[in-house]
Amino acid sequence: MTTRTEKQEEPGSMSTITPTRAPHQDLPSGHKPDSGRVGGGLFDPKQLLKSFPDAVKKLDPRVMIKSPVMFVVLVGSVVTTVLAALDPTDWFGWAIAAWLWLTTIFANLAEAVAEGRGKAQADTLRKAKTDTVARRLSKDGRAEEQVPGTDLRIGDLVVCEAGDIVPGDGDVVEGVASVDESAITGESAPVIRESGGDRSAVTGGTKVLSDRIVIKITTKPGETFIDRMIALVEGAARQKTPNEIALNILLASLTIVFLLAVVTLQPFAIYAGAKQSMIVLTALLVCLIPTTIGALLSAIGIAGMDRLVQRNVLAMSGRAVEAAGDVSTLLLDKTGTITLGNRQAAEFVPVTGVTEAELADAAQLSSLADETPEGRSVVVLAKEKYGLRERHQGELEHAEWVSFTAQTRMSGVDISEKGETRKVRKGATGSVLAWVTERGGQVAVDADRTANKISEVGGTPLLVAVEDDKGARVLGVIHLKDVVKEGMRERFDELRRMGIKTVMITGDNPLTAKAIAEEAGVDDFLAEATPEDKMALIKREQ
C-alpha cells in the first residue's frame, strides 16, 4: 500500500473545523458530570460560621459609612450600649442594644456570606489546580514520573487515562478520549479530544472519561485558564449599578428626614411632660428608617453575581447583571454561537442512473484519506444513514491512497483488483470536474444543477467521481452544510416570549445567511457584515 498526492493548478482550501460526532461511544455508564460548583445557601451553618469574622470586620465605621442607613444603626447600637452600661439594671436598654447589634451584624453577615460564596468558588478552582498530580513522560517517552501539576512547564508531555484530571492546558499529541469539561464550561455533555485538527486542545481541571491520551503542555504556570478564572472571580469589581445608586440616595434622604423627625419629638415630649430616654428615641429612629433595604442592598447585588458564578457565567460587575435585565435585542455571531462552526455532510444526492447506496459507498471510500472534519463527516454519514461499516485504509489491499491537500482539493483511492483499476475521487466541484474532463469523461447535467442548487441555499457541494472500465463519470454530489446547534430554535422562541428580539450577524453571503437564519429561527439577520456594519447596528439598536 502506498500514498501519493495528485497536483492541480487550481489553488484553494477547505475548512478544517471541528466535527461534532464522537468517533466512538464508549462513555462510562451512569456518568454524571462533576460540575465543581459551590453548594450551600445563605443559612448553611458552615458558611455562616466561616463568614462571621468577616461580618465583624465590616463593623469598621469607614466601611459602614458607605451605607448611610446601616451607619445610623451602628451609631445607635454604640449609643444604646453605652447608655445601658451606665445603668446595668435597665433590662430594656440591654434588649434594645442587643437587637440593634443583631441588626447590624446580620446586615454585614448577609454581605459576607455572598462574598464568601465567590471566594469559595475561587478556592474550589484553586484546589483543582494545586491537588492535581501529573504523570510526566521522560524525554525519550518511555518512563513516567508523578509530579504536582504546578511543576509542569511548556513542552512537558503528560499521560492521562480514564478517571484522571488534566493537570494543565495543552494539546493532545497522541490518542483520543472523551473529556468532561463541565467544571469549566458548564456543559454536561462530554466532548471528544484527539490529536491533530481543531479538537486537540484540553483545559486543566477537566476530567478524562475514557481511553488514554498524551498531552503536550502549552501554558506557563500561573497563566492557565483556571488561573485566569480565579483572578476574575476574586477580582470581580462590585460596581454600584445606576438603580442601586439611586436607591442609596433615596435611603439616605429618608434617613435624614426621619432623623430630623425624631430629633424634633423630644421638645414636644418635654412640653407634654413625657420626656423620652435616648434609648427609646434611638429605637424609634431605627424602626422608622428603611433598615431592611439598606441592610440587604449590597448583599442582593453580590448574590446576583454569585448565582451567575454557580452557572459558570462570570459577571464582572453588578452593573452588568442589571443591564442584562434591560436587554430588548440580542445580537449574535453566527459561527460558533448559533452554528457549531463547521460544515458537515448532510445528504448524498446521486445523478440519474446512480443509486444513493452506490454514491455513499464511493463517497466513504474516497474520504478515508481525507483527515479534514468534512472528510470524517462523510464517513460518518455513510455509516449512519446507509449502514456502511466504517472501513480503514489498512483493510484494502492493492490500494493507492490519495490524501487531501489544499492544492488539489481532492482525496480518493486507486484500487487494483483482478487486473482492473478503479479510481474514486471526492472534492471541490472545480477540481473534480477537471479530473473527469482530463480523463475523457462527461459530467451529467443534473450534477451541475444539483451543485448550483446546494450553493443557492447556502450549502457547499462536493462532487464524487469514479473512473473504471465504464470510463470517468460523476456519481453525485455531497451536500455540506453549516450545522445549527441543537435546541437553538427553542431557545430563540423562549427569548421571543420574553420580548427579546434576536439578530444574527455574519460575514456570509445573503443566501447562506438567510438559510441559517430560517433554520435557527432568529428574528432578523445581517449578512456580509464588516466590523463597521456591526458597530452601526449596535448603535442603531441602542
Side-chain angles (χ1 to χ4, degrees), residues 256-278:
I256 294 173
V257 170
F258 287 124
L259 181 60
L260 294 174
V262 171
V263 168
T264 57
L265 280 179
Q266 189 69 304
F268 289 104
I270 293 175
Y271 178 78
K275 181 180 180 181
Q276 300 297 315
S277 67
M278 185 62 70

Side-chain angles (χ1 to χ4, degrees), residues 149-362:
T150 52
D151 288 351
L152 295 175
R153 297 294 182 268
I154 293 179
D156 285 349
L157 296 177
V158 295
V159 178
C160 287
E161 296 180 341
D164 291 344
I165 301 296
V166 176
D169 297 357
D171 292 327
V172 178
V173 295
E174 180 184 324
V176 56
S178 303
V179 180
D180 175 14
E181 295 185 344
S182 58
I184 302 297
T185 64
E187 176 59 54
S188 60
V191 296
I192 299 299
R193 291 292 177 257
E194 61 182 343
S195 59
D198 300 322
R199 300 190 300 173
S200 61
V202 291
T203 306
T206 57
K207 187 176 183 179
V208 177
L209 301 178
S210 68
D211 303 298
R212 176 185 185 274
I213 52 177
V214 177
I215 302 168
K216 183 178 182 179
I217 301 300
T218 58
T219 310
K220 296 179 182 178
E223 298 180 4
T224 64
F225 182 80
I226 288 185
D227 289 314
R228 296 198 300 272
M229 279 191 67
I230 292 172
L232 287 172
V233 171
E234 292 183 329
R238 215 197 72 78
Q239 302 173 2
K240 290 187 176 180
T241 66
N243 287 341
E244 190 175 348
I245 293 172
L247 189 55
N248 263 323
I249 295 173
L250 176 62
L251 295 180
S253 302
L254 291 175
T255 301
I256 294 173
V257 170
F258 287 124
L259 181 60
L260 294 174
V262 171
V263 168
T264 57
L265 280 179
Q266 189 69 304
F268 289 104
I270 293 175
Y271 178 78
K275 181 180 180 181
Q276 300 297 315
S277 67
M278 185 62 70
I279 292 178
V280 171
L281 293 175
T282 303
L284 176 62
L285 174 62
V286 173
C287 289
L288 290 175
I289 62 178
T291 310
T292 305
I293 300 177
L296 296 179
L297 189 58
S298 60
I300 290 171
I302 296 175
M305 295 168 63
D306 174 67
R307 283 174 68 90
L308 289 177
V309 170
Q310 302 308 306
R311 288 157 179 80
N312 291 322
V313 178
L314 186 61
M316 295 299 292
S317 67
R319 187 186 300 272
V321 178
E322 184 175 294
D326 298 328
V327 169
S328 60
T329 302
L330 183 62
L331 307 180
L332 299 142
D333 185 36
K334 177 184 74 71
T335 305
T337 304
I338 294 177
T339 67
L340 292 168
N342 59 9
R343 295 177 300 173
Q344 289 189 327
E347 63 175 331
F348 298 129
V349 184
V351 298
T352 304
V354 179
T355 64
E356 287 190 30
E358 184 181 353
L359 173 60
D361 180 71

Side-chain angles (χ1 to χ4, degrees), residues 381-447:
L381 180 64
K383 177 182 177 182
E384 284 186 339
K385 192 171 181 180
Y386 299 96
L388 295 177
R389 183 179 63 85
E390 183 175 349
R391 290 165 286 190
H392 303 280
Q393 296 183 16
E395 296 181 18
L396 300 176
E397 297 181 359
H398 311 294
E400 191 175 348
W401 299 96
V402 180
S403 301
F404 170 83
T405 68
Q407 288 73 34
T408 64
R409 296 198 299 169
M410 285 196 306
S411 63
V413 60
D414 296 345
I415 304 174
S416 299
E417 291 180 343
K418 300 178 181 179
E420 297 181 356
T421 300
R422 181 177 181 234
K423 298 181 179 180
V424 186
R425 296 291 183 272
K426 176 225 68 187
T429 303
S431 300
V432 175
L433 289 180
W435 184 83
V436 172
T437 304
E438 286 177 0
R439 283 153 180 76
Q442 294 185 349
V443 180
V445 177
D446 51 346

